[in-house]
Amino acid sequence: MVFTTLAHHMDEDWLREAYRDTRKDGAVGVDGQRGEEYGADLEGNLRRLIDQAKSGNYRAPEVKRAYITKEDGKQRPLGIPTFEDKVLQRGVVMLLEPIYEQDFKNSSYGFRPKRSAHQALAEVQQRLTLMGGGWVVEVDIEKYFDTIVHQHLREMLSQRVRDGVITRLIGKWLNAGVLEEGVLKKPEAGTPQGGVISPLLANIYLHEVVDVWFEKEVKPRMKGEAFLVRYADDLVLGFANEEDARKVMEVLPKRFGKYGLSLHPEKTRLVDFRSPGRMGQEMKGTGGSFDLLGFTHYWAKSRRGYWVVKQKTSKGRLARAEKKMNEWMRRNRHLPVKEQHAKLVQKLKGYCQYFGITGNSPCLRQYGKMVTELWKKWLGRRSQRGYLTWEKFKTMLKRYPLPAMKVVHSVYVK
């Protein structure tokens, strides 16, 4: 079904709800306005915003360019919209999300209601364990958010949504300029990461490019079992049959290339991930492992002696976390110990909220030990002598204890 009239649902009450769901403490856009400032005259601002949006007079402001460091050391570009633009984008997402939730496949987990990265990880682990392993295609899309072809995206959207107000707004957001160091650039492709609507548009694109294609065209042609798990642009394909895996591996670049996307030639790879105990043979293992969502997947024996798929923090993520923590402590070493302690407790608990999964306890303890040693090092450098004895540091830890690094997401706790 194609929806031709949707914008009539979007009134002041609708945008008021969008305002409530929009972060007020996020980074500011090119106008420098913060959430609380916008809320000072909320009713007037929302009334003006809805009038401009429906009349076609709304002008999508430029997004401010910012960068974050990726795991490989490269810079990932972000686009920061103005707060008002975030509110309007949130309003449109609230309209489109229920429609596309009917279409999206169960294999998709990223940026969807009641779905998470941990569910995606659990699905991969369970499927591979039940299959007894197999062949895994680890897919890496180069600069995905920057290379989405606008024309293809518009055609995909038109299959479900043809409301003029909504499609016009999306078109304006896609064509909004990017302001970087005072220079305005007009994008020919892509949707900026950081925009409220970008994750939904990115999901719609890959839903057509890979999810639907895999279910309708790939799986029926496979000789053995096959599955796909995708979290935004992070995805893996699993196959019980090697021949199936190699055939799909061969056509993947053509499929993505058809929609203007490129696969990283080195990071997109086929992994022999057969169980070491497959066919009743006790081997040391195939040596195969792969990464997904910050975790390395590998084979190991359970306490009962069965071969199972385990997950641990990937080396790259662990190294990056150590580097960030070291930099934070260096910059904040002169803060009062009480303030440092409060922040560290918050950071360590946040780390466990993501990486605290069953089987990852050794990596959690390693990270906790590293943080403790870094804290001692930087506290020691606050003095002229530049040294703090372990005895004094342990005494201080009794007063300011760091939380235990523990599993938060346990398969044993329902």
Side-chain angles (χ1 to χ4, degrees), residues 298-355:
Y298 65 103
W299 284 101
K301 280 195 172 183
S302 68
R303 292 177 181 176
R304 295 184 179 181
Y306 299 110
W307 286 105
V308 295
V309 177
K310 290 194 174 185
Q311 298 159 322
K312 63 181 179 181
T313 310
S314 67
K315 290 182 180 179
R317 278 295 182 93
L318 202 57
R320 186 172 68 175
E322 180 177 358
K323 184 178 179 181
K324 286 179 68 176
M325 183 62 76
N326 185 66
E327 180 63 21
W328 182 86
M329 288 185 182
R330 184 188 66 80
R331 291 197 316 266
N332 295 279
R333 65 186 184 276
H334 294 299
L335 288 177
V337 173
K338 186 177 180 179
E339 288 185 32
Q340 290 189 43
H341 175 255
K343 282 287 187 183
L344 283 174
V345 169
Q346 185 181 20
K347 287 176 179 291
L348 288 172
K349 287 183 176 179
Y351 188 89
C352 286
Q353 279 296 324
Y354 186 75
F355 289 102

Side-chain angles (χ1 to χ4, degrees), residues 100-124 127 203 206-216 218-219 226-238 292-293:
Y100 282 99
E101 276 302 304
Q102 309 304 311
D103 297 351
F104 289 158
K105 304 295 182 184
N106 289 332
S107 57
S108 168
Y109 289 89
F111 306 111
R112 293 181 59 189
K114 299 180 180 179
R115 288 184 159 239
S116 68
H118 292 110
Q119 291 174 328
L121 290 164
E123 176 74 6
V124 171
R127 295 294 292 266
N203 259 344
L206 282 184
H207 169 72
E208 293 294 335
V209 173
V210 67
D211 298 355
V212 173
W213 171 72
F214 188 79
E215 287 294 325
K216 290 187 175 181
V218 175
K219 284 179 71 173
F227 71 88
L228 160 72
V229 172
R230 181 174 68 81
Y231 188 94
D233 59 331
D234 290 311
L235 64 144
V236 294
L237 309 172
L292 178 68
L293 299 173

Side-chain angles (χ1 to χ4, degrees), residues 11-81:
D11 53 17
E12 288 179 40
D13 289 337
W14 189 276
L15 288 187
R16 194 178 298 110
E17 188 65 29
Y19 168 81
R20 290 195 192 102
D21 289 346
T22 303
R23 278 186 59 184
K24 313 300 185 294
D25 59 348
V28 298
V30 293
D31 61 354
Q33 188 178 48
R34 298 189 176 276
E36 59 270 18
E37 297 170 359
Y38 189 82
D41 182 24
L42 183 61
E43 300 307 314
N45 285 331
L46 294 182
R47 197 177 305 116
R48 174 182 49 79
L49 180 59
I50 197 69
D51 288 343
Q52 288 182 343
K54 291 192 175 182
S55 66
N57 293 324
Y58 182 77
R59 176 183 169 274
E62 300 85 6
V63 297
K64 186 168 71 174
R65 176 67 81 211
Y67 290 92
I68 58 172
T69 304
K70 294 169 58 178
E71 197 168 311
D72 57 7
K74 295 181 180 179
Q75 296 288 303
R76 183 192 299 275
L78 297 178
I80 305 171

